[in-house]
Every structure is written in C-alpha cells, then in structure tokens.
Amino acid sequence: MYYLLPMNTDSATLREIIRLPNRVDMIISPFFAEDLKQKIRPGVTLILDMARTSFVDPATTSVFLEGILRSQQEGATIVVKGMNAQVSQVFERAGLLPYFG
C-alpha cells in the first residue's frame, strides 16, 4: 500500500523527503523505486528518512543502487537520516554506505 511511504516536498530549498517504513523488503521496493524515479531531479537533495526503518532486506539494495546512479546522472544528492546499525551493515556489505551523504 502506498501510504507506507509518505513523502513531503520542500520546493523552496529543492529538498524531497521519502520516509521509509519499518521494513524495506520486496513488497515495498517497487513503491520505493517509483518514489525515487519521481523525486530525483537536477539540483534536488533527496532525504531518505530511515528513523522508523529497522530492517532492510539485502535483496532490495539494488533499488538503492539504482537511486544512487540516477542521482549522479541527474545531478541530485541522496542523504540518509536515522540509519540504524542493521541497516548500516546491509549498506556497508553492499558497498553503498559511502554514497549516502
């Protein structure tokens, strides 16, 4: 269900926020991928709010990688806030941790 990923837009400062749910898994990943496609644009800082996220399925790291690649192509920045130790470990093992400002 889409309501699991509420978003806010702050157009005055070119910031977009995606608030991720408790679990990012194969059920959520298609919705998250679509959010990334819509929110990544030139000059935007995309904030991934992971304060409520306690689990990221390693199989979904490809969605994060696609977001990183797209942000680099579009001249956008992705920043992760509120990442816990489990999530950080998944990103580190996938080689993605250095890409999140």
Side-chain angles (χ1 to χ4, degrees):
M1 297 184 162
Y2 189 75
Y3 69 88
L4 294 173
L5 300 172
M7 297 171 289
N8 293 333
T9 302
D10 184 351
S11 60
T13 57
L14 294 174
R15 286 188 292 177
E16 299 280 357
I17 301 171
I18 298 176
R19 288 186 175 86
L20 293 166
N22 183 45
R23 296 178 58 88
V24 179
D25 54 24
M26 297 306 287
I27 295 170
I28 295 300
S29 63
F31 300 103
F32 177 43
E34 185 60 33
D35 286 345
L36 288 172
K37 286 178 187 174
Q38 291 178 4
K39 298 296 180 185
I40 294 174
R41 330 185 274 289
V44 167
T45 297
L46 177 60
I47 300 167
L48 301 180
D49 181 352
M50 300 187 84
R52 292 184 278 170
T53 306
S54 61
F55 175 78
V56 172
D57 184 341
T60 65
T61 57
S62 63
V63 175
F64 289 92
L65 177 59
E66 289 171 16
I68 291 166
L69 295 173
R70 184 174 171 94
S71 70
Q72 290 174 345
Q73 292 171 347
E74 294 287 336
T77 303
I78 295 179
V79 178
V80 176
K81 300 288 184 183
M83 185 184 329
N84 72 21
Q86 186 276 337
V87 172
S88 178
Q89 188 176 39
V90 170
F91 288 153
E92 184 177 13
R93 287 182 179 164
L96 301 179
L97 201 54
Y99 297 99
F100 298 124

